[in-house]
C-alpha cells in the first residue's frame, strides 16, 4: 500500500464541515487500510496533520472561523500499528499550540490515545 493509498493527497484537507449553530469547524483526516509503523508512513501522517494545523493559521481560515472551536479528527478504518498509536499519543500538545482539539476514531468509534511515559 502506498502513502497515497493510506492518506490521499498529503497537501489536501479530506473533509471540512462546519456547525454554524455551535460555531464548530471539523476537519477530518482520513486514513485508509492498515497504517504501518514505518518511518515513511509516520512522517507522511505527521506531514498531513501539519498541513491541517497550518491551514488553521491561514488568514482566510482565521477570518472565516475566528472564535470557533476547531476540531481535527484523525480517522482509521482499522487499528494502526502500535508505533503509530504511540506517535499520535504525543500529538495533543502540538495541536494545543494551534488551538485545535485533536480527536481519533477507529472503525467509526472515538478513541483516546493515552500518552505513554
Amino acid at each position: 500500500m502506498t502513502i497515497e493509498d493510506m492518506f490521499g493527497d498529503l497537501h489536501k484537507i479530506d473533509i471540512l464541515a462546519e456547525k454554524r449553530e455551535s460555531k464548530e469547524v471539523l476537519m477530518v483526516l482520513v486514513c485508509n487500510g492498515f497504517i504501518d509503523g514505518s518511518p515513511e508512513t509516520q512522517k507522511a501522517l505527521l506531514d498531513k496533520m501539519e498541513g491541517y494545523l497550518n491551514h488553521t493559521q491561514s488568514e482566510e481560515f482565521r477570518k472565516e472561523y475566528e472564535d470557533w472551536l476547531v476540531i481535527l479528527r484523525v480517522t482509521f478504518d482499522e487499528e494502526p500499528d502500535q508505533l503509530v498509536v504511540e506517535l499520535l499519543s504525543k500529538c495533543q500538545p502540538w495541536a494545543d499550540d494551534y488551538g485545535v482539539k485533536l480527536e481519533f476514531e477507529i472503525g467509526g468509534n472515538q478513541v483516546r490515545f493515552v500518552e505513554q511515559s
Side-chain angles (χ1 to χ4, degrees):
M1 194 182 249
T2 68
I3 295 295
E4 290 76 24
D5 291 336
M6 289 187 264
F7 305 119
D9 186 334
L10 295 181
H11 305 290
K12 291 208 162 95
I13 291 178
D14 298 327
I15 300 170
L16 191 143
E18 56 184 50
K19 284 190 193 173
R20 291 213 170 267
E21 64 281 356
S22 57
K23 293 184 91 177
E24 293 179 1
V25 61
L26 171 65
M27 299 185 301
V28 181
L29 191 164
V30 179
C31 303
N32 300 300
F34 177 71
I35 307 302
D36 68 75
S38 73
E40 297 79 20
T41 300
Q42 291 184 54
K43 181 180 182 326
L45 178 55
L46 290 177
D47 286 350
K48 184 129 185 183
M49 287 177 69
E50 183 175 40
Y52 279 63
L53 293 172
N54 285 339
H55 181 66
T56 68
Q57 301 303 298
S58 71
E59 187 176 323
E60 179 184 321
F61 187 93
R62 292 174 73 139
K63 183 178 171 191
E64 180 82 19
Y65 300 112
E66 186 176 7
D67 300 325
W68 284 45
L69 173 62
V70 180
I71 302 165
L72 170 53
R73 182 175 300 149
V74 182
T75 66
F76 297 90
D77 291 339
E78 55 189 88
E79 188 162 338
D81 186 279
Q82 189 58 37
L83 290 171
V84 173
V85 171
E86 290 172 16
L87 176 69
L88 294 174
S89 74
K90 296 177 172 84
C91 287
Q92 187 59 61
W94 184 32
D96 289 345
D97 287 345
Y98 287 82
V100 173
K101 181 180 178 195
L102 189 58
E103 296 180 352
F104 302 102
E105 213 174 75
I106 298 175
N109 298 310
Q110 193 162 352
V111 296
R112 249 179 95 117
F113 295 140
V114 180
E115 187 167 353
Q116 309 291 319
S117 42

